[in-house]
Amino acid sequence: MNFLVNLPQSPSKSKVPKKSAHQPPRKASKPANTLSIEDIGRVHKGLKIGHLNIRSLLPKIDQLRYLLATSKLHVFALSEIWLDASVENSELANNSYVLYHSDRNRHGGGVAIYVKQNINHKIINFDKESLLPLEGLFISLNLPNRRPLLTGAIYRPPNSTTTSFGKLTSVIKEISGGCDLVITGDVNMAWTKTDQKNPEVRPFLYTFQLNQLISTATRITESSSTIIDWLCVNRPENFTHYGSVPLGLSDHN
């Protein structure tokens, strides 16, 4: 699981600097820190966001409920939920959270976001066809003394062309409305120096001043170790802890 912890700050410190689409993203001001799920749960102030490629949500719903109860995440984004209309929302419900999900089928794809009920938020509607082959969900969080925070859960299927990042850029431009950004998900592209300079990926990062924070492998096999689950933010200085926690719920950290 990738995670972010955002501690509260006074309004006087929340001024957003002017930026240009031609400027490179700001560097993260703090190195990544690794916390356990229990450590995250003991953080009682600020905002906590997580993402996991769960590779089929329904059979793991009890483990997920335990994870949410232990970590006390405010927002938990999921990719590859593997759901369809035959699954009732009651089967996926958690009493402390509101659930949004966009399904493909029981064999792959789909994204979901669990949001704490006490968080002031709204789901963002957009033309999902315009994002294909990517799948996505976006919510806007309205937090005290801060700009609205647009949080997105993304899934990019394997072997998709990199032009899909251009579609993602267009959608975020349309819906962001000046919000701060947290875009997370499984993009099925290894985060390497070469990929960072990809002519499709680079404009996506630079347009929104995004930093991809995860630096340790999120999917490890016998033959590879790659960072394919990204966590991108445009205000890295706001986050005190970020990193990956192995959970054992899927073949992704």
Side-chain angles (χ1 to χ4, degrees), residues 47-66:
L47 179 70
K48 298 182 287 186
I49 300 174
H51 165 262
L52 176 68
N53 178 317
I54 198 165
R55 289 183 60 83
S56 191
L57 171 57
L58 186 58
K60 300 170 185 175
I61 191 62
D62 289 337
Q63 295 98 312
L64 181 133
R65 287 169 177 153
Y66 175 81

Side-chain angles (χ1 to χ4, degrees), residues 33-80:
N33 298 286
T34 299
L35 300 178
S36 69
I37 293 298
E38 290 76 16
D39 289 333
I40 295 171
R42 284 190 286 268
V43 176
H44 297 298
K45 294 183 179 180
L47 179 70
K48 298 182 287 186
I49 300 174
H51 165 262
L52 176 68
N53 178 317
I54 198 165
R55 289 183 60 83
S56 191
L57 171 57
L58 186 58
K60 300 170 185 175
I61 191 62
D62 289 337
Q63 295 98 312
L64 181 133
R65 287 169 177 153
Y66 175 81
L67 170 61
L68 291 175
T70 304
S71 66
K72 299 178 174 63
L73 290 168
H74 297 101
V75 179
F76 194 29
L78 300 170
S79 51
E80 287 208 80

Side-chain angles (χ1 to χ4, degrees), residues 122-176:
K122 65 178 180 179
I123 188 75
I124 303 298
N125 295 315
F126 69 99
D127 179 10
K128 294 181 180 179
E129 294 291 326
S130 68
L131 191 58
L132 293 175
L134 272 67
E135 299 169 74
L137 270 180
F138 298 90
I139 60 171
S140 176
L141 308 179
N142 296 305
L143 308 172
N145 301 324
R146 290 191 183 275
R147 289 154 59 96
L149 179 66
L150 182 71
T151 303
I154 300 298
Y155 179 63
R156 176 177 174 270
N159 303 317
S160 300
T161 65
T162 55
T163 57
S164 54
F165 284 96
K167 294 184 177 183
L168 180 58
T169 299
S170 296
V171 168
I172 294 175
K173 276 184 177 180
E174 178 184 341
I175 66 176
S176 60

